[in-house]
Amino acid sequence: MREYLVKLREHRGLTQVEAAKRLLISQSYLSGLETGGRKKSLNLATLKAFAKLYKSPLELLVAKESQYIDAQR
């Protein structure tokens, strides 16, 4: 599970529905990204969109995603 995405979203006070709407994706797709059920790794464009929405440094998201991927191995 990509806890870092969930925590950032919740820190911004957004539901999955609200965040998905702002990211122009479906709530079910966002849920899949957060739980790890979708995409083995997130690309830079996706991480940039999350960074912008959640007002988080891109470098932090890249590092967290790298940790997530390493943990999946």
Side-chain angles (χ1 to χ4, degrees), residues 3-72:
E3 289 283 336
Y4 73 95
L5 289 180
V6 176
K7 287 179 181 179
L8 287 170
R9 176 178 52 76
E10 290 175 345
H11 180 73
R12 288 287 162 212
L14 297 170
T15 66
Q16 277 189 345
V17 172
E18 292 167 331
K21 192 174 197 177
R22 292 183 187 186
L23 291 165
L24 303 176
I25 59 176
S26 70
Q27 180 273 326
S28 63
Y29 187 73
L30 177 56
S31 176
L33 293 176
E34 288 183 353
T35 62
R38 296 237 185 210
K39 291 210 176 191
K40 294 191 177 174
S41 65
L42 298 180
N43 63 34
L44 188 56
T46 302
L47 290 173
K48 281 182 180 180
F50 280 112
K52 183 176 179 182
L53 176 62
Y54 297 153
K55 296 178 176 39
S56 178
L58 178 59
E59 296 82 8
L60 173 69
L61 272 70
V62 169
K64 292 289 188 180
E65 181 64 10
S66 180
Q67 290 171 358
Y68 170 78
I69 296 303
D70 288 346
Q72 299 305 305

